[in-house]
């Protein structure tokens, strides 16, 4: 039973949640504004949100037919019958509550209860919960309209990184938008791999992701543009902040991303695409760790 739930949590996607919080926290430390409590609670809240999103995605896709027997990617829990639809719905309720409670605790330790900033971030938190659930659920799930890429870019990039930074520092630095964009673009790349892999079943279910709309070949080009743009954004930040040495520190990551893109362009089957999802997620986390260690001279 535990194994079934761990599979439903989709642990290989969790590095993306760690990446955006890690990047925001590293940047806060770089600007001398780091808080350990904010870092821990940000990580906890984001992990709960990511698991919530994965569970809601499993539940919603099974209801709408994207996770049918014809799906070529890994079998989902509700689809395979390893977890009942009712149990999955109940787990969504539980992780919604955990995300909310953890988020309130984060705001309490960072901006305090009742301030105007508290209500702004409370609204963003509720929007994140709603986005996690509405991706594949409801009468008009936005993931079925090809809007998932924008949502991932915002929540795993701009809002995730910049929001974390603000909770640490109570201020904002315009330059952090560049590494924030990097995290968002890499996370969007992970979603794109998922959507390329599932083109056939998504098309049959009426899930009009970007790869379904433009086809596999153009989706591969789109993927390359996403990853390269993410790398360029980070390099521009490092150049503008005089962190030239960090560019050399990240050489191994550039190699990993390059190898990943090569494998993506060669891949043609779901079995070839699927491993690249985990590879890109882990490469993103490694990129953030090396980025942070280098800019802080650790």
């Amino acid at each position: 039973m535990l194994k079934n739930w761990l599979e439903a949590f989709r642990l290989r996607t969790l590095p993306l949640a760690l990446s955006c919080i890690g990047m925001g926290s590293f940047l806060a430390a770089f600007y001398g504004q780091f808080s350990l409590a904010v870092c821990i609670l940000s990580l906890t809240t984001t992990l709960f949100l990511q698991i919530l999103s994965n569970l809601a995605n499993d539940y919603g896709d099974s209801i709408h037919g994207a996770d049918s027997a014809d799906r070529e990617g890994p079998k989902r829990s509700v689809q395979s019958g390893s977890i009942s639809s009712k149990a999955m719905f109940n787990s969504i309720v539980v992780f919604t509550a955990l995300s909310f409670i953890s988020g309130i605790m984060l705001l309490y330790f960072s901006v305090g209860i009742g301030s105007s900033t508290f209500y702004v971030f409370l609204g963003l938190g509720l929007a994140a919960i709603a986005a996690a659930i509405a991706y594949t659920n409801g009468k008009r799930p936005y993931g079925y309209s090809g809007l998932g890429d924008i949502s991932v870019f915002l929540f795993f990039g701009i809002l995730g990184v910049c929001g974390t930074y603000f909770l640490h520092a109570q201020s904002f630095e315009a330059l952090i938008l560049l590494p924030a964009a990097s995290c968002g673009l890499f996370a969007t790349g992970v979603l794109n791999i998922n959507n390329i892999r599932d083109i056939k079943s998504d098309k049959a279910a009426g899930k009009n992701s970007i790869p379904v709309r433009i086809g596999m070949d153009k989706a591969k080009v789109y993927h390359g543009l996403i990853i390269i743009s993410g790398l360029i954004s980070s390099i521009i930040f490092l150049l503008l902040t005089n962190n030239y040495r960090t560019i050399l520190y990240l050489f191994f990551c550039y190699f990993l991303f390059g190898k990943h893109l090569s494998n993506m362009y060669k891949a043609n089957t779901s079995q070839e695409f699927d491993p690249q999802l985990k590879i890109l997620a882990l490469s993103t986390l490694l990129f953030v760790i090396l980025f942070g260690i280098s800019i802080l001279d650790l």
Side-chain angles (χ1 to χ4, degrees), residues 139-197:
K139 294 182 178 179
R140 294 183 179 179
Y142 67 89
Y144 282 66
S145 301
L147 300 177
D149 292 49
I150 296 174
S151 176
V152 167
F153 175 75
L154 289 176
F155 284 103
F156 284 90
I158 304 302
L159 295 177
V161 175
C162 296
T164 300
Y165 177 88
F166 187 90
L167 292 176
H168 279 283
Q170 309 295 306
S171 62
F172 179 73
E173 291 284 343
L175 283 180
I176 69 171
L177 285 168
L178 291 166
S182 296
C183 286
L185 288 165
F186 296 152
T188 303
V190 172
L191 177 63
N192 190 55
I193 298 170
N194 182 84
N195 291 338
I196 292 176
R197 182 198 63 199

Side-chain angles (χ1 to χ4, degrees), residues 16-186:
L16 296 178
L18 298 174
S19 296
C20 68
I21 302 304
M23 180 63 83
S25 297
F26 277 130
L27 289 168
F30 176 69
Y31 285 103
Q33 303 290 341
F34 180 79
S35 165
L36 181 60
V38 169
C39 181
I40 293 173
L41 287 169
S42 295
L43 287 170
T44 303
T45 304
T46 305
L47 287 174
F48 283 151
L49 282 170
Q50 180 60 50
I51 293 173
L52 170 63
S53 178
N54 291 341
L55 296 175
N57 183 250
D58 192 309
Y59 180 81
D61 273 343
S62 295
I63 289 176
H64 290 286
D67 283 351
S68 65
D70 297 327
R71 187 175 186 271
E72 297 185 9
K75 301 300 181 185
R76 297 306 186 209
S77 300
V78 175
Q79 171 207 353
S80 66
S82 62
I83 296 176
S84 69
S85 179
K86 182 179 179 180
M88 185 63 75
F89 178 83
N90 290 338
S91 73
I92 292 171
V93 174
V94 169
F95 274 92
T96 297
L98 289 173
S99 299
F100 181 77
I101 293 169
S102 181
I104 291 295
M105 291 178 62
L106 169 61
L107 295 180
Y108 173 78
F109 280 100
S110 57
V111 299
I113 304 296
S115 66
S116 58
T117 304
F118 167 81
Y119 290 109
V120 170
F121 275 89
L122 178 61
L124 290 175
L126 292 174
I129 292 174
I133 296 174
Y135 179 63
T136 59
N137 289 277
K139 294 182 178 179
R140 294 183 179 179
Y142 67 89
Y144 282 66
S145 301
L147 300 177
D149 292 49
I150 296 174
S151 176
V152 167
F153 175 75
L154 289 176
F155 284 103
F156 284 90
I158 304 302
L159 295 177
V161 175
C162 296
T164 300
Y165 177 88
F166 187 90
L167 292 176
H168 279 283
Q170 309 295 306
S171 62
F172 179 73
E173 291 284 343
L175 283 180
I176 69 171
L177 285 168
L178 291 166
S182 296
C183 286
L185 288 165
F186 296 152

